[in-house]
């Protein structure tokens, strides 16, 4: 059976990981974990993008080799994955031989097929910025100071015949509207394709850029940016080997909206088509984390280091926050206040207190053993019914990447367990000698434990640690049933010994 193959973008090696990178990995991980729990065989790829001008420049400034800088980045980004509990199956680095050899093979094939040609490129060039400029880069008819001296130069380069495929791509997108999720982002590509597209310059002369993959047909040139980076999605899963079809075509490339047009939405489908390789099934395009309306990144200096929040509040809290707050596809404003509010209210009050009430009262009133349900009344039946509805709806929302709504529904259910406890008031029942009230006490505590077990399991794709921990604190044993089966109301905890007081989400020392 083919794997469910999902990828993140590969992050630039030049620069430290930030919230944007962390979010994309968590989102992709939530999907990967959800698919696994639903019974799919998953292959999950992430990695880093190591070649290019910026890495070369930064390394030069620090007096080290580019590969040393990339080695550092690999440690940092792999560390981020571990810290975030990312369940990736593979981590690709574009300097690896398994990648460079595929890039070179594809370039050679396209060159042999006449899809890559050589041409003279004339344009304005800034030596200081080491980049080509266009008329539109002028301000009031002058080149801005940052470019230093700008000269007109003619340079030989290699071009890929992108324009020949424009009509094909327009047709493909018309027939495959599910290629872009959410669908409203498709318009951006269609807008771009309204104007004639240019062929793609895929090379840089070695004398200007050394840190790249050498063209197989001209050793004085390296390939530039997208012909290198995009290919990671196929090189990592053994393009050219028998294993390739176990994963390819990818089910989803998860990317941010800034790299949809033109790279993933235009270049990549055309590159694959030109090489005779099937297209990925879909691109899942997420929005940005913003700070005061601006995209967050390391270079804006506005960055909240995601690792700091994780250290302080735990990885599950961080994963919960980013998944709960972001409506996949749209942007979301980041603030520490919002984080603290979710942490204190949803996690601390609703979930954490419910666990503690359940543990404490079970210890106090029934000797720490989850009691059996002796007397089911309408109140219990309603809660059970509400669970069934919650679970079905949440699974449906998760299937459609509506994780923020799925979490909202899950927490509504958690709040309804708290209301159920208020209504039954076990602390009052415990004072009574009456046999019926004693039965109701057991029923209430058993029902609280079961409903909390179920709710925490539903959180598993988003909060893997908590989902594992809560059932165990409630005395649950390892079980061999599938995740979906474990989401049935089954009172499996009955007879188990609960743990002592446990604070899952301690109050922050100072809220800032
Ligand atoms: N190296 C390229 C991608 C090549 S994929 C074949 C790149 N790297 S990046 O480091 O700039 O961005 C990596 C991913 O992080 C992108 O999908 C990007 O959209 C995402 N994010 C970077 N900043 C972001 C936010 N502020 N918010 C959410 N995600 C954003 O582009």
């Amino acid at each position: 059976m083919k794997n469910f193959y999902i990828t993140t973008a590969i992050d630039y090696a030049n620069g430290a990981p930030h919230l944007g990178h962390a979010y994309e990995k968590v989102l992709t991980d939530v999907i990967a974990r959800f698919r696994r729990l639903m019974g799919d065989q998953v292959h999950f790829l992430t990695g880093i993008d190591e070649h290019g001008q910026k890495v070369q420049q930064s390394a030069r400034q620090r007096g080290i080799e580019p590969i040393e800088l990339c080695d550092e980045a690999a440690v940092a980004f792999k560390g981020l994955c571990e810290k975030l509990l990312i369940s990736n199956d593979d981590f690709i680095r574009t300097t690896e031989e398994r990648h460079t050899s595929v890039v070179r093979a594809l370039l050679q094939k396209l060159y042999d097929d006449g899809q890559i040609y050589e041409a003279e490129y004339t344009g304005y060039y800034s030596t200081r910025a080491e980049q080509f400029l266009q008329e539109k880069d002028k301000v009031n008819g002058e080149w801005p100071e940052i470019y230093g001296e700008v000269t007109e130069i003619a340079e030989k380069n290699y071009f890929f015949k992108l324009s020949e495929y424009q009509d094909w791509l327009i047709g493909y997108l018309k027939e495959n509207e599910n290629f872009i999720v959410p669908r409203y982002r498709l318009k951006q590509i269609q807008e771009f394709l309204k104007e004639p597209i240019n062929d793609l310059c895929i090379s840089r002369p070695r004398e200007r850029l050394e840190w790249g993959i050498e063209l197989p047909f001209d050793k004085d040139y390296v390939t530039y940016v997208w012909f290198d980076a995009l290919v990671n999605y196929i090189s990592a899963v053994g393009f050219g080997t028998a294993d390739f079809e176990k994963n390819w075509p990818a089910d989803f490339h998860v990317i941010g909206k800034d790299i949809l047009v033109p790279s993933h939405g235009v270049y990549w489908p055309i590159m694959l088509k030109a090489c005779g390789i099937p297209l990925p099934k879909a691109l899942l395009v997420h929005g940005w984390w913003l700070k005061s309306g601006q995209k967050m990144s390391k270079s804006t200096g506005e960055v909240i280091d995601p690792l700091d929040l994780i250290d302080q509040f735990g990885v599950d809290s961080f994963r919960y926050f980013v998944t709960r707050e972001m409506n996949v596809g749209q942007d979301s404003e980041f603030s520490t206040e919002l984080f603290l509010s979710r942490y204190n209210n949803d996690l601390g009050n609703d979930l954490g207190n419910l666990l503690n009430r359940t543990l404490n009262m079970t210890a106090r009133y029934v000797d720490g053993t989850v009691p059996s349900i002796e007397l089911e009344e309408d109140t219990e039946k309603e809660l059970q019914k509400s669970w069934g509805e919650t679970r079905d709806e949440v699974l449906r929302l998760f299937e459609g990447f509506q994780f923020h709504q799925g979490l909202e529904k899950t927490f509504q259910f958690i709040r309804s367990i708290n209301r159920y406890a208020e209504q039954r008031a076990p602390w009052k029942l415990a004072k009574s000698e009456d046999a019926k009230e004693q039965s109701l006490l057991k029923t209430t505590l058993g029902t609280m434990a079961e409903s909390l077990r179920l709710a925490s399991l539903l959180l598993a794709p988003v909060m893997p640690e908590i989902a594992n921990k809560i059932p165990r604190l409630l005395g649950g044993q390892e079980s061999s049933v599938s995740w979906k089966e474990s989401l049935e109301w089954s009172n499996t905890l009955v007879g188990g010994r609960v743990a002592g007081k446990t604070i899952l989400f301690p109050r922050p020392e100072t809220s800032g």
Side-chain angles (χ1 to χ4, degrees):
M1 203 181 72
K2 188 190 159 298
N3 289 336
F4 178 90
Y5 177 33
I6 190 162
T7 64
T8 67
I10 48 171
D11 305 318
Y12 285 128
N14 178 66
H18 58 68
L19 181 62
H21 301 135
Y23 169 68
E24 186 171 290
K25 291 186 202 307
V26 171
L27 169 63
T28 313
D29 187 61
V30 170
I31 300 168
R33 284 178 185 269
F34 177 62
R35 297 296 354 153
R36 281 192 207 105
L37 290 167
M38 294 296 278
D40 288 347
Q41 195 68 36
V42 173
H43 188 76
F44 172 8
L45 172 72
T46 188
I48 52 172
D49 188 354
E50 302 186 288
H51 292 119
Q53 196 89 43
K54 286 193 177 148
V55 169
Q56 182 175 305
Q57 268 169 6
S58 307
R60 201 172 281 162
Q61 274 163 15
R62 289 180 47 196
I64 58 175
E65 290 300 318
I67 191 66
E68 293 178 66
L69 192 139
C70 296
D71 288 346
E72 286 176 13
V75 170
F77 281 94
K78 282 180 181 168
L80 178 71
C81 289
E82 271 170 36
K83 210 148 195 172
L84 290 169
L85 300 179
I86 303 303
S87 62
N88 55 306
D89 299 286
D90 195 0
F91 186 99
I92 187 148
R93 300 184 50 180
T94 54
T95 46
E96 287 173 272
E97 208 273 331
R98 62 170 170 159
H99 174 72
T100 56
S101 60
V102 173
V103 171
R104 286 164 59 84
L106 289 187
L107 287 167
Q108 187 67 55
K109 177 183 160 42
L110 291 173
Y111 185 71
D112 294 344
D113 289 352
Q115 310 263 10
I116 288 177
Y117 62 92
E118 189 186 309
E120 189 84 354
Y121 180 86
T122 324
Y124 299 108
Y125 186 73
S126 148
T127 326
R128 185 182 291 171
E130 296 192 43
Q131 75 182 76
F132 278 99
L133 302 173
Q134 293 175 351
E135 280 292 338
K136 68 172 170 55
D137 296 315
K138 284 186 178 166
V139 177
N140 301 329
E142 303 278 327
W143 296 113
E145 186 58 32
I146 46 160
Y147 295 125
E149 192 192 350
V150 176
T151 46
E152 213 174 346
I153 62 169
E155 182 175 280
K156 186 186 96 172
N157 262 310
Y158 289 90
F159 292 81
F160 168 53
K161 290 185 176 168
L162 204 68
S163 56
E164 280 193 3
Y165 294 88
Q166 180 159 4
D167 290 342
W168 164 79
L169 184 58
I170 292 171
Y172 184 86
L173 294 174
K174 211 172 196 171
E175 276 162 33
N176 297 276
E177 287 196 331
N178 294 333
F179 186 58
I180 309 293
V181 182
R183 204 180 281 189
Y184 58 80
R185 292 237 174 255
L186 181 62
K187 283 211 189 64
Q188 259 171 273
I189 312 180
Q190 286 166 332
E191 278 301 309
F192 182 84
L193 291 172
K194 276 188 181 153
E195 301 289 321
I197 57 175
N198 294 326
D199 286 346
L200 180 66
C201 179
I202 59 143
S203 65
R204 285 291 182 271
R206 253 230 147 100
E207 62 208 32
R208 285 205 291 113
L209 177 65
E210 269 175 76
W211 187 237
I213 302 174
E214 187 182 292
L215 295 186
F217 42 82
D218 190 338
K219 63 176 175 28
D220 293 332
Y221 286 80
V222 298
T223 190
Y224 186 63
V225 187
W226 295 108
F227 244 93
D228 179 346
L230 288 162
V231 173
N232 90 88
Y233 300 133
I234 59 172
S235 65
V237 288
F239 174 71
T241 71
D243 272 354
F244 185 54
E245 284 174 11
K246 249 169 58 190
N247 292 302
W248 196 259
D251 291 78
F252 287 98
H253 292 319
V254 179
I255 54 167
K257 63 178 186 177
D258 49 321
I259 54 171
L260 174 62
V261 180
S263 58
H264 283 77
V266 179
Y267 301 163
W268 186 225
I270 293 182
M271 282 161 64
L272 290 166
K273 170 78 179 162
C275 293
I277 304 169
L279 267 53
K281 291 186 199 158
L283 308 179
L284 178 61
V285 189
H286 63 77
W288 285 343
W289 282 96
L290 307 173
K291 186 76 197 166
S292 315
Q294 300 289 312
K295 178 184 178 213
M296 292 176 80
S297 78
K298 209 73 194 176
S299 55
T300 56
E302 290 272 23
V303 171
I304 309 300
D305 191 336
L307 305 185
D308 287 352
L309 286 175
I310 302 164
D311 289 339
Q312 213 180 332
F313 298 97
V315 60
D316 274 6
S317 310
F318 177 83
R319 292 173 58 112
Y320 173 73
F321 173 74
V322 292
T323 318
R324 173 67 187 82
E325 227 29 70
M326 184 75 100
N327 178 347
V328 175
Q330 295 176 13
D331 295 342
S332 199
E333 181 75 25
F334 179 87
S335 84
T336 315
E337 290 74 39
L338 215 52
F339 179 88
L340 286 174
S341 151
R342 289 272 175 221
Y343 179 82
N344 288 328
N345 297 326
D346 303 7
L347 301 180
N349 290 345
D350 297 341
L351 181 58
N353 281 349
L354 173 61
L355 173 73
N356 256 320
R357 288 169 106 182
T358 313
L359 296 179
N360 292 344
M361 291 195 285
T362 307
R364 215 144 128 206
Y365 305 139
V366 288
D367 277 341
T369 302
V370 177
S372 53
I373 312 284
E374 293 189 351
L375 191 70
E376 262 174 16
E377 293 191 336
D378 284 352
T379 325
E380 282 71 31
K381 289 192 183 123
E382 265 169 40
L383 193 68
Q384 288 185 23
K385 184 162 165 267
S386 144
W387 163 251
E389 288 163 3
T390 301
R391 178 201 51 207
D392 295 349
E393 168 113 60
V394 170
L395 291 181
R396 193 182 57 76
L397 288 164
F398 281 8
E399 293 262 4
F401 311 117
Q402 299 295 304
F403 298 108
H404 68 300
Q405 280 182 28
L407 290 177
E408 189 182 330
K409 292 266 179 270
T410 310
F411 273 79
Q412 273 169 14
F413 179 72
I414 291 170
R415 282 190 286 274
S416 73
I417 312 174
N418 275 316
R419 278 199 304 277
Y420 165 79
E422 293 297 324
Q423 206 180 333
R424 281 296 189 208
W427 48 92
K428 283 188 195 151
L429 296 169
K431 288 189 189 135
S432 166
E433 301 284 309
D434 180 77
K436 185 181 172 207
E437 305 228 316
Q438 281 298 312
S439 291
L440 265 185
L441 172 67
K442 290 184 191 156
T443 301
T444 306
L445 295 174
T447 301
M448 285 171 72
E450 176 64 2
S451 47
L452 177 55
R453 174 189 78 88
L454 291 164
S456 63
L457 280 177
L458 204 47
L459 294 171
V462 181
M463 305 178 79
E465 283 193 334
I466 292 295
N468 192 17
K469 214 168 180 178
I470 291 181
R472 278 193 290 116
L473 293 170
L474 292 168
Q477 307 290 324
E478 282 290 314
S479 104
S480 56
V481 302
S482 74
W483 182 64
K484 261 191 104 173
E485 283 165 345
S486 73
L487 297 175
E488 290 297 332
W489 194 290
S490 56
N491 296 321
T492 47
L493 296 172
V494 172
R497 300 281 301 163
V498 302
K501 189 177 162 90
T502 310
I503 306 285
L504 289 182
F505 306 101
R507 293 242 156 227
E509 280 155 28
T510 49
S511 43

